[in-house]
Amino acid sequence: MNISKEKVLEALSTVEDPDLKKDLVTLGMIQGLEIISDQKISFKVVLTTPACPLKELIRINCEEAIKKAFGGKVEADILMTSNVTTVRNDAPLLPNVKNIIAIASGKGGVGKSTCSSNLAVALAKLGAKVGLIDADISGPSVPTMFNVEGEQPAIKQVNGKNIIVPIEQYGVKLMSIGFLTPAEDAVVWRGPMASSALKQFIGDVEWGELDYLLIDLPPGTSDIHLTMVQTLPVTGAVIVTTPQKVALADATKALTMFKQPQINVPILGVVENMAYFTPDELPDNKYYIFGQGGGRKLSEKYDVTYLGEIPLVQGIRESGDSGYPAVLKEGVMAKAFSDFAEGVARQVAIRNAASSKTEVVQVKV
Amino acid sequence: MNISKEKVLEALSTVEDPDLKKDLVTLGMIQGLEIISDQKISFKVVLTTPACPLKELIRINCEEAIKKAFGGKVEADILMTSNVTTVRNDAPLLPNVKNIIAIASGKGGVGKSTCSSNLAVALAKLGAKVGLIDADISGPSVPTMFNVEGEQPAIKQVNGKNIIVPIEQYGVKLMSIGFLTPAEDAVVWRGPMASSALKQFIGDVEWGELDYLLIDLPPGTSDIHLTMVQTLPVTGAVIVTTPQKVALADATKALTMFKQPQINVPILGVVENMAYFTPDELPDNKYYIFGQGGGRKLSEKYDVTYLGEIPLVQGIRESGDSGYPAVLKEGVMAKAFSDFAEGVARQVAIRNAASSKTEVVQVKV
């Protein structure tokens, strides 16, 4: 059989990326195509994220396109790989960081740090290069959640400037005020000092090359949030809420803050944490302790993606306290957080394909 | 029988206030003593708070002291009343407010606003004059919790100055940024603006005479907290925590902030919220979803009063969302919050008897 690269590409140009709504060839996702023999070809499909939930579907669709074009007589050796997309190519600050994702909630205590930690670990586990900034200066949780309390980052000199080497755990690079101050001391700083700590975490840390840098924001909509958007163009924001009315009210405020025309950070989606409680003895009972369906309603109201719900099980809290994120274990929780991570990575890819880069906020708000 | 005021007072000077460790006569708590006949006397016992949990015990002790002194032939008509104590007599700001109580947590989402709201309503229900400032500028919950969303306070002119009339609900005077801004809009202010809002809530609101002005603080240890201690001498602080390690870590920070020598606000105690969950179908099962005993351990470590635990029942959240505080209903929750309120009022009385007034923080921290 006569196989040419052109014919293979023609066949593969019938396969669409369901999220990006374009064919794989146009998207440049087919790479390294080789005609090995008249019965065997090989190529790579370069996805936009290692966390792509559609990976298997796309692989099958490629196989079927080849089969359809060459009548089942050609075997295709397909390597599914990824290269995380970015719109930050010429960024002056952190040029080697492809995507910056803010995790916000408005209200505290809704599990923002739990979601951020598990998101970071899930993305790293799937093969992405991930960093996590704990931007909660007065209540850092990341050192506990990653079981690195009391660790102190190394400092090194680069071009005469002191650079902090982030702590690395479970494949994630971490920075938190908790690494710089004793655990029991209160960091009682007015806004400008907290803001300059965040600026240091962004500019004076050796982040290197990253696919995703997550910023776990403090509750509220104040100094740290303004400093972030004035310092860095944020790729997108994830809103964490719980189902209570008071939490939804604050999540709405966080959401509208990012949507303000002068801030204009794309919303990647809303995740609902502590959606329900399930006791071991009554596995079929879902107790909607905090109410039901609020996160979904919020996402519908503001026309943003609903990233799913995370149940409240004792294991999550114990994971947080013991410093071993739930996503690293087996079971329902790991599944919930993996799905959440895939959802976020997918929305980042869609956002990068569809919209131009985020601008740093210039106006003083 | 020959009864004189002296003899009655001599008898009553054997009765001690168990908290203040002095007798009622020395404490000036016996007032309006009248000898009506040689078989009947009447007097008032003026307690230090209407929420005194020892009210019944003290009344019985008075009756027994009279019985012992006069052999059961004299009937005593005892009116148990109260006059909340204060050490703020000559305060330049809010001179008619007897006690200012800060409610803090470090971590958000632990139920600070739920505890503050129920504390305020419980104290008012017992007869105290109570005000509540919602100092969470970016995430106000008080309007929802008191079912006064969308209400707007009246403004009146006093000596050419605009004064805000607080919203009153369930016997509590309320002030919140939520009364001044639309519910869905984010209040994206840097610290100095948030601080000036708090200063307005303190200085430009017609609080009138209050026994207790509660300040529901935002999460963290930042601008609002510093502004509060630099503006007002705070009678004492209540620390709210949940049992998780990450919440306890932040509660510790809040506690050590108030204990810093240059801030020096007395800690009235620690209350543990969401201590356990109890489903209706399994009333004997206590699910320690967030861990067990953390609040008590925290109070022991820092040698402060443990103010008890509040369980997590669906009713509390529903009460918060529906704007009808749980303490106004019957049942286990109302009991838990009433006990908490009595504990706080008791600690305020003990603190006022034992320590001198709190100083406004002068140093710029």
Side-chain angles (χ1 to χ4, degrees):
Chain A
M1 178 170 281
N2 187 11
I3 319 179
S4 67
K5 286 194 179 183
E6 287 68 32
K7 281 191 180 167
V8 174
L9 289 176
E10 197 184 310
L12 291 172
S13 70
T14 64
V15 181
E16 242 192 17
D17 180 305
D19 282 337
L20 307 183
K21 316 271 186 233
K22 285 185 186 159
D23 74 272
L24 303 188
V25 179
T26 304
L27 287 167
M29 284 163 69
I30 306 298
Q31 293 178 11
L33 172 59
E34 285 183 59
I35 312 294
I36 295 162
S37 72
D38 60 2
Q39 279 158 13
K40 193 168 172 89
I41 60 170
S42 81
F43 58 88
K44 289 193 287 188
V45 179
V46 185
L47 300 169
T48 54
T49 168
C52 181
L54 305 169
K55 193 189 276 188
E56 196 48 28
L57 177 72
I58 293 174
R59 197 184 56 74
I60 290 170
N61 287 350
C62 287
E63 283 176 350
E64 290 192 347
I66 298 296
K67 199 170 172 183
K68 197 172 163 194
F70 303 106
K73 286 173 188 148
V74 173
E75 191 194 339
D77 203 359
I78 308 176
L79 176 67
M80 301 301 288
T81 179
S82 66
N83 185 19
V84 174
T85 54
T86 181
V87 288
R88 303 192 69 250
N89 297 315
D90 52 356
L93 199 57
L94 302 180
N96 299 319
V97 173
K98 288 183 171 178
N99 295 288
I100 292 161
I101 303 172
I103 293 104
S105 67
K107 189 165 171 59
V110 300
K112 207 174 350 69
S113 296
T114 301
C115 288
S116 302
S117 301
N118 279 285
L119 174 58
V121 173
L123 291 170
K125 202 174 144 191
L126 288 160
K129 298 191 202 90
V130 186
L132 172 59
I133 291 179
D134 183 354
D136 194 345
I137 304 300
S138 43
S141 301
V142 162
T144 302
M145 297 213 166
F146 279 81
N147 196 26
V148 286
E149 289 162 302
E151 292 209 16
Q152 291 189 334
I155 308 286
K156 64 181 193 186
Q157 289 253 331
V158 177
N159 301 329
K161 193 181 165 192
N162 284 328
I163 295 289
I164 304 172
V165 182
I167 301 287
E168 199 161 335
Q169 178 79 317
Y170 310 131
V172 179
K173 290 181 179 171
L174 305 169
M175 192 59 220
S176 169
I177 192 81
F179 299 143
L180 308 177
T181 56
E184 304 199 341
D185 288 6
V187 177
V188 193
W189 288 346
R190 288 204 174 265
M193 278 188 72
S195 292
S196 74
L198 176 63
K199 280 186 191 160
Q200 257 206 309
F201 290 176
I202 293 168
D204 299 346
V205 172
E206 193 183 42
W207 290 112
E209 287 189 10
L210 292 181
D211 293 318
Y212 305 101
L213 176 60
L214 312 186
I215 302 184
D216 180 15
L217 288 168
T221 50
S222 186
D223 291 79
I224 287 284
H225 308 76
L226 289 173
T227 299
M228 180 186 70
V229 295
Q230 286 172 358
T231 308
L232 273 181
V234 176
T235 308
V238 173
I239 308 291
V240 184
T241 188
T242 53
Q244 306 103 296
K245 194 172 166 189
V246 287
L248 289 164
D250 291 0
T252 304
K253 287 179 196 293
L255 205 153
T256 54
M257 172 183 70
F258 288 118
K259 278 184 170 252
Q260 284 182 9
Q262 77 273 33
I263 291 181
N264 198 25
V265 169
I267 307 292
L268 299 172
V270 170
V271 64
E272 183 178 293
N273 192 29
M274 306 192 206
Y276 51 84
F277 170 68
T278 301
D280 284 345
E281 294 87 341
L282 297 168
D284 296 333
N285 284 31
K286 291 183 174 183
Y287 292 95
Y288 291 89
I289 302 180
F290 298 116
Q292 200 173 350
R296 185 179 289 279
K297 273 181 220 137
L298 179 68
S299 67
E300 283 167 2
K301 181 165 175 193
Y302 287 93
D303 194 23
V304 298
T305 305
Y306 183 58
L307 293 165
E309 57 188 31
I310 315 279
L312 173 61
V313 301
Q314 207 146 342
I316 298 188
R317 193 272 311 162
E318 283 168 3
S319 294
D321 281 1
S322 68
Y324 195 75
V327 75
L328 288 172
K329 301 174 188 172
E330 291 297 307
V332 61
M333 289 317 308
K335 175 81 172 68
F337 280 122
S338 292
D339 289 352
F340 166 54
E342 287 180 355
V344 172
R346 184 177 185 174
Q347 292 308 316
V348 169
I350 294 173
R351 177 246 176 273
N352 284 346
S355 26
S356 54
K357 67 180 180 181
T358 309
E359 297 294 335
V360 176
V361 174
Q362 299 293 351
V363 289
K364 293 281 173 203
V365 190
Chain B
M1 175 169 279
N2 189 10
I3 321 179
S4 67
K5 287 193 179 185
E6 288 68 30
K7 282 190 180 166
V8 174
L9 289 177
E10 198 185 309
L12 291 173
S13 69
T14 63
V15 181
E16 239 191 18
D17 181 304
D19 281 338
L20 307 182
K21 315 272 187 231
K22 286 185 185 157
D23 74 90
L24 303 189
V25 178
T26 304
L27 287 167
M29 284 164 69
I30 306 298
Q31 293 180 12
L33 172 60
E34 282 183 60
I35 313 294
I36 294 162
S37 71
D38 58 2
Q39 281 158 13
K40 192 165 173 90
I41 60 171
S42 81
F43 58 88
K44 288 193 289 188
V45 179
V46 184
L47 300 168
T48 53
T49 167
C52 181
L54 306 167
K55 193 189 277 189
E56 196 50 26
L57 177 72
I58 293 174
R59 196 184 57 73
I60 290 169
N61 288 350
C62 287
E63 282 177 349
E64 290 190 349
I66 298 295
K67 198 172 172 181
K68 196 173 164 194
F70 303 106
K73 287 173 188 150
V74 172
E75 192 195 337
D77 203 0
I78 308 176
L79 177 66
M80 301 301 288
T81 179
S82 67
N83 186 18
V84 174
T85 54
T86 182
V87 289
R88 302 192 68 250
N89 297 314
D90 52 355
L93 199 57
L94 302 180
N96 299 318
V97 173
K98 288 183 170 178
N99 295 287
I100 292 161
I101 303 172
I103 293 103
S105 66
K107 188 162 171 60
V110 299
K112 207 174 350 72
S113 297
T114 301
C115 287
S116 301
S117 300
N118 279 284
L119 174 59
V121 173
L123 291 170
K125 202 175 145 192
L126 288 159
K129 297 190 204 91
V130 185
L132 172 58
I133 291 179
D134 183 355
D136 195 344
I137 304 300
S138 44
S141 301
V142 162
T144 302
M145 296 212 166
F146 280 80
N147 196 25
V148 285
E149 289 161 302
E151 291 210 15
Q152 291 189 335
I155 308 287
K156 64 181 192 187
Q157 288 253 332
V158 177
N159 302 329
K161 193 181 165 192
N162 284 330
I163 295 289
I164 304 171
V165 182
I167 302 287
E168 198 162 337
Q169 179 80 315
Y170 310 131
V172 179
K173 289 181 180 172
L174 305 169
M175 193 60 220
S176 169
I177 193 79
F179 298 143
L180 308 176
T181 56
E184 305 199 339
D185 287 6
V187 178
V188 194
W189 287 347
R190 288 205 175 266
M193 278 188 72
S195 293
S196 75
L198 177 62
K199 280 186 190 159
Q200 259 207 306
F201 290 177
I202 292 168
D204 299 347
V205 171
E206 192 182 45
W207 290 112
E209 289 188 9
L210 292 181
D211 293 318
Y212 305 103
L213 176 59
L214 313 185
I215 302 184
D216 180 16
L217 289 167
T221 50
S222 186
D223 292 79
I224 287 284
H225 307 78
L226 289 173
T227 298
M228 180 186 70
V229 295
Q230 286 171 359
T231 307
L232 271 181
V234 175
T235 308
V238 173
I239 309 291
V240 182
T241 188
T242 53
Q244 306 103 297
K245 194 171 167 188
V246 287
L248 289 164
D250 291 0
T252 304
K253 287 179 195 293
L255 205 153
T256 55
M257 171 183 71
F258 287 118
K259 278 186 170 251
Q260 284 182 10
Q262 76 275 30
I263 291 181
N264 198 25
V265 169
I267 307 291
L268 299 171
V270 170
V271 64
E272 184 179 293
N273 192 31
M274 307 192 205
Y276 51 85
F277 170 66
T278 300
D280 284 344
E281 294 87 340
L282 298 168
D284 296 332
N285 285 30
K286 291 183 175 183
Y287 292 95
Y288 291 90
I289 303 180
F290 298 117
Q292 200 172 352
R296 185 180 289 279
K297 274 181 218 138
L298 179 68
S299 67
E300 282 166 3
K301 180 166 176 193
Y302 287 93
D303 194 22
V304 298
T305 304
Y306 183 57
L307 293 165
E309 56 188 31
I310 315 277
L312 173 61
V313 300
Q314 207 146 340
I316 299 189
R317 193 273 311 163
E318 283 169 1
S319 294
D321 280 1
S322 68
Y324 194 75
V327 75
L328 288 173
K329 299 173 189 171
E330 291 298 307
V332 60
M333 290 316 309
K335 176 81 173 68
F337 280 122
S338 291
D339 289 353
F340 166 54
E342 288 181 356
V344 171
R346 184 176 184 173
Q347 293 307 317
V348 169
I350 293 173
R351 176 247 176 273
N352 284 346
S355 28
S356 54
K357 67 180 179 180
T358 309
E359 297 294 334
V360 176
V361 174
Q362 299 293 349
V363 291
K364 293 281 172 203
V365 189

